[in-house]
Amino acid sequence: MQSLRDHFLLAMPHLDDDNFSGSLSYLCDHDEKGTLGVIVNKPIKLTMRGLFEQLEIAADSCECLEDVVYYGGPVHKDRGFILHRGHAAEWDSSLQVTDELALTTSLDILKAIADNKGPEDFMVCLGCAGWEPDQLTNELKENSWLIVEGDSGILFDADSESRLDAAARKLGVNMSLMSREIGHG
């Protein structure tokens, strides 16, 4: 099985699932045990300021207070998943996704971010997306998703509204021209 780690999943227009419709997911882990990712283009009505207040983390000098928090997916919606540039070894609970990117779930990274000592490029997601073994394979066979190699520039340099289209352009696809109708040849 070829790993889809460090790939984007682009929701096809006919995917009507409320959790994934119009979504761009970044896959952080994919093996025989299943798949883990975060949705990276659905900001929620919560800023980093609000998150720090909820967690009672002092962040008076933080430069990111107005940055948005993202809906990361329907699994563990009460947990933070921080996708960032850097190394997993720097944080208590972290997964190295690529040489450049890591996914961290421990509070120490949020405290470092609040103190302007965390990674420069990061995205905080509440919740994650998970697929059981073979579930994603079946959804791919049903044409629910397009797959394209991940790109940290899309994650951290593009605004949330343009990420899905930017990922689709890597495939030479214009999402606005795709039909909501599906078919199998």
Side-chain angles (χ1 to χ4, degrees), residues 168-180:
R169 279 193 301 275
K170 286 184 67 155
L171 290 171
V173 172
N174 182 335
M175 294 299 283
S176 66
L177 298 177
M178 295 190 76
S179 171
R180 291 186 50 82

Side-chain angles (χ1 to χ4, degrees), residues 61-83:
S61 65
C62 182
E63 298 170 359
C64 68
L65 292 177
E66 300 312 313
D67 289 1
V68 297
V69 174
Y70 291 85
Y71 169 73
V75 181
H76 303 298
K77 291 191 282 190
D78 59 338
R79 289 193 63 189
F81 293 81
I82 300 90
L83 183 62

